[in-house]
Amino acid sequence: MTSQLSVKAFRFLVAGLAVYWFSWLFWGGSWEPFGGPFRYLTNWALTLSTVSSLLLLGRSFGLIKGRNDGLIGLTAVLNGMVVMLYWRLYLADPFLVSPTEDTSITAQGWYLHLVGPALQWIDALFIHRSFRKPLESATLSVITLLGYIGWIEWGVSPRVNFPAGKVSTGFPYPFLNDLTLDGRLTFYATNLIMALILLGIFFGLAWVIRSLLEREAP
């Protein structure tokens, strides 16, 4: 009973934070220029985190019957991509990810790029014990990332003139505007491969965790 209450409390916390920042995204964020907050992969991941956390909370109360392993795996992978890309670029040069002169990390930034993803991973690995459908998660991950690439290449960049780089304008992350099409394609391909590798790592961790926890269970 105590364990069930703890899971419900944890999922309330995770879902509450996700809904709060998702709501702020819609009503407190800027919708200019074209694409608004959805120019950023981070906010695609936040949307998935909100949906996944609500599904898992509903599951704790018996309102959701399905496991949704494919979606939860996709959420974990996309959050992983956001964390890796953001911190790798930020630590190299904060201006690679910030289009403004203010490169300090806000409370929202810490949540989106570290705390929120970590909470999702904890539930997926230790509570829900997900990653049981890696092929479905891999398919969803590739489709989602290709969708995002198409969105910024053909939807956002042609309609936005900020930030401006050495080669192009309008890509939400400043460093992309310094890359030629070939350079961007290489970057995209590399990160698609990294997403599949990350899913493989999550699958391996989940298998080990499930094995250990099931072995210890009475």
Side-chain angles (χ1 to χ4, degrees):
M1 186 67 171
T2 302
S3 176
Q4 293 177 356
L5 288 175
S6 298
V7 169
K8 289 178 180 178
F10 176 79
R11 286 180 169 170
F12 258 122
L13 172 65
V14 177
L17 287 171
V19 169
Y20 171 79
W21 286 114
F22 185 75
S23 300
W24 187 94
L25 182 73
F26 266 88
W27 289 287
S30 173
W31 286 88
E32 295 292 338
F34 177 83
F38 288 100
R39 292 178 296 138
Y40 300 98
L41 184 65
T42 301
N43 293 328
W44 284 42
L46 172 61
T47 303
L48 285 169
S49 293
T50 304
V51 173
S52 292
S53 63
L54 290 173
L55 288 174
L56 290 171
L57 181 61
R59 183 175 170 82
S60 289
F61 285 90
L63 301 175
I64 303 295
K65 301 302 181 182
R67 286 186 51 86
N68 298 293
D69 281 298
L71 177 64
I72 292 169
L74 163 64
T75 303
V77 169
L78 213 63
N79 274 309
M81 296 300 297
V82 166
V83 170
M84 288 193 303
L85 288 169
Y86 179 83
W87 289 107
R88 186 179 72 187
L89 293 169
Y90 184 87
L91 294 174
D93 182 355
F95 289 102
L96 291 174
V97 291
S98 175
T100 67
E101 293 183 0
D102 184 8
T103 59
S104 60
I105 305 176
T106 63
Q108 183 192 36
W110 282 111
Y111 172 79
L112 292 175
H113 302 112
L114 187 61
V115 177
L119 292 173
Q120 297 284 329
W121 298 333
I122 290 170
D123 198 326
L125 288 168
F126 294 97
I127 302 175
H128 190 58
R129 302 180 195 176
S130 193
F131 304 100
R132 299 168 189 261
K133 295 183 177 180
L135 183 58
E136 183 177 337
S137 293
T139 302
L140 290 173
S141 296
V142 171
I143 291 172
T144 302
L145 288 170
L146 287 177
Y148 177 74
I149 291 167
W151 165 239
I152 61 172
E153 281 285 340
W154 300 306
V156 174
S157 179
R159 295 173 174 81
V160 179
N161 56 15
F162 177 83
K166 299 175 182 177
V167 178
S168 59
T169 61
F171 288 100
Y173 298 102
F175 74 94
L176 287 174
N177 294 293
D178 292 332
L179 299 177
T180 63
L181 177 59
D182 287 346
R184 294 197 305 275
L185 290 175
T186 300
F187 177 77
Y188 298 148
T190 300
N191 283 281
L192 281 169
I193 294 170
M194 284 302 302
L196 296 178
I197 292 174
L198 188 60
L199 177 60
I201 292 172
F202 277 126
F203 176 77
L205 285 173
W207 182 84
V208 171
I209 291 168
R210 285 200 304 271
S211 299
L212 291 175
L213 291 178
E214 289 169 3
R215 186 182 305 167
E216 294 174 359

